[in-house]
Amino acid sequence: MCYSTPLEVSAYGFSRGDKSFKDLLYIEDLIILKQDCSPQYTTMDSDAILEYYDKLLDKDIPLQRGTRVWFHTHPVMTASPSSTDVDTFAESFDGPDWSVMAIISQTDDMSARLKITTPLAAIEEDIEIKIDWDSYPVDLKRMAMEMEGWEEE
């Protein structure tokens, strides 16, 4: 996602499950929806987001598995959140009790910020991104097949 285009791209992280918080933070897939992109920003299409939410609900998949982690790329800058990123995260993810903003950069830098919201306070803390390299060969095969489909579109 990060190296395939010079544009910023957004995606929802789709988690392994919802049995534990650890499962919710283990991202198995990135869901890329229709969006407007430039080298400096990315904005997901509102209708595409609603359709995605509907698909999750139709399949009885809890929304927290597929809508709480926002990934996006920084093609030419570090993975530090910009003021636009901070504002987008605050505005677009203000409802859930927890959410994550993750940034991947072409500078091989990554960052993630966990936000936990309670009725009394909101806490934000940077968290580490770990890659499950043991699953990488299987994922690489799947991604190669998906990339062929993307190129045809």
Side-chain angles (χ1 to χ4, degrees), residues 45-95:
D45 181 80
S46 298
D47 290 336
I49 293 170
L50 291 174
E51 287 176 27
Y52 173 59
Y53 278 42
D54 284 344
K55 285 180 185 177
L56 291 176
L57 293 171
D58 288 346
K59 294 178 182 180
D60 290 326
I61 298 171
L63 289 178
Q64 65 180 357
R65 279 191 65 196
T67 63
R68 299 284 183 93
V69 180
W70 170 46
F71 274 88
H72 71 283
T73 62
H74 279 180
V76 294
M77 53 191 259
T78 68
S80 297
S82 68
S83 60
T84 301
D85 296 335
V86 171
D87 291 345
T88 300
F89 190 48
E91 293 167 12
S92 300
F93 294 86
D94 67 342

Side-chain angles (χ1 to χ4, degrees), residues 15 21 24-25 64-65 68-69 93 95-100 114-117:
S15 69
F21 196 61
L24 287 167
L25 291 177
Q64 65 180 357
R65 279 191 65 196
R68 299 284 183 93
V69 180
F93 294 86
D97 54 349
W98 69 270
S99 55
V100 173
L114 171 66
K115 177 170 60 173
I116 299 173
T117 306

Side-chain angles (χ1 to χ4, degrees), residues 1-10 30 32 72-79 103-110 131 133 136 140 143 147 150-151:
M1 182 168 101
C2 183
Y3 294 99
S4 63
T5 180
L7 306 174
E8 276 200 19
V9 177
S10 282
L30 297 178
I32 301 172
H72 71 283
T73 62
H74 279 180
V76 294
M77 53 191 259
T78 68
I103 304 170
I104 306 166
S105 170
Q106 285 185 4
T107 63
D108 293 330
D109 193 17
M110 299 182 289
I131 298 173
W133 291 110
Y136 186 70
L140 193 58
M143 288 188 308
M147 288 288 283
W150 294 340
E151 290 172 355

